[in-house]
Amino acid sequence: MNKGDERVFWGLVALAVLLVVAAFFVAFRAYRSINYETADTPRAAFRNFILAINRGDYGKAYSLLGDTTCKPSFRDFREMLGGYLTFTDVEIRQVKVNGDKAELKVYLETSWGGPNLFLERSGPGVVGTVELVRTPAGWKITKLPAGLPFPPLGLPPSQCPWHFGAGGD
């Protein structure tokens, strides 16, 4: 390869790298522009919960959990997630509302990874039920599907994991 061909090659490599960096920048900005929903619906509450976890806004996510047995303290909740959980695929397949109670049939895929581009998929997706109740402060989650990296919510107190206090903080 002569000097001219070598310069063209490295110029194309540099252009490709710039395009990849620009694509990640645009995707990140688009993701950050997704806003929390303001509607007072079970679907909006669950969507906001997932978005808050993906953003690392654990205070917002925790505020969407209802007062139920086995609810971890905020500190335990934050430590459990550790800043590495990401929901990579979320589908709300069905919503049933009956007065002040709601049930969502959902499909969730999670990944574990640090604040980098490489996420490790945690396994097959989880299909399950999310239960919510309407409170004066809006819809709150009282049950999450089994198989998620959260403590169970709403179990009898005798079945709560030892390191999570009932009632949260």
Side-chain angles (χ1 to χ4, degrees):
M1 202 178 336
N2 66 36
K3 286 266 193 205
D5 291 341
E6 197 172 303
R7 249 189 238 153
V8 170
F9 171 75
W10 287 111
L12 290 174
V13 168
L15 179 63
V17 168
L18 282 172
L19 288 174
V20 168
V21 169
F24 279 116
F25 178 74
V26 168
F28 181 75
R29 284 184 50 116
Y31 171 74
R32 282 300 196 190
S33 69
I34 298 171
N35 295 319
Y36 290 114
E37 287 191 31
T38 57
D40 185 21
T41 66
R43 179 184 295 269
F46 183 67
R47 181 188 176 280
N48 289 344
F49 178 76
I50 297 295
L51 183 58
I53 289 173
N54 279 358
R55 287 186 172 171
D57 186 355
Y58 302 125
K60 173 73 172 178
Y62 190 80
S63 75
L64 292 164
L65 295 178
D67 290 326
T68 181
T69 58
C70 296
K71 179 179 178 181
S73 68
F74 176 69
R75 191 191 91 221
D76 287 339
F77 179 75
R78 186 183 63 236
E79 286 178 9
M80 206 179 337
L81 300 176
Y84 299 108
L85 175 71
T86 301
F87 286 92
T88 55
D89 191 9
V90 178
E91 290 178 35
I92 299 174
R93 296 182 171 172
Q94 184 180 28
V95 178
K96 290 182 185 177
V97 178
N98 186 8
D100 288 342
K101 295 185 179 202
E103 191 175 277
L104 281 62
K105 299 292 184 194
V106 299
Y107 171 79
L108 304 166
E109 281 185 17
T110 60
S111 292
W112 289 95
N116 58 44
L117 304 175
F118 305 103
L119 297 173
E120 182 179 317
R121 190 163 178 240
S122 64
V126 172
V127 176
T129 302
V130 176
E131 293 177 6
L132 300 96
V133 296
R134 186 189 327 251
T135 71
W139 287 94
K140 302 292 181 179
I141 297 167
T142 57
K143 182 181 177 195
L144 291 164
L148 289 179
F150 298 109
L153 297 173
L155 290 176
S158 63
Q159 294 180 20
C160 293
W162 65 270
H163 57 287
F164 299 113
D169 58 2

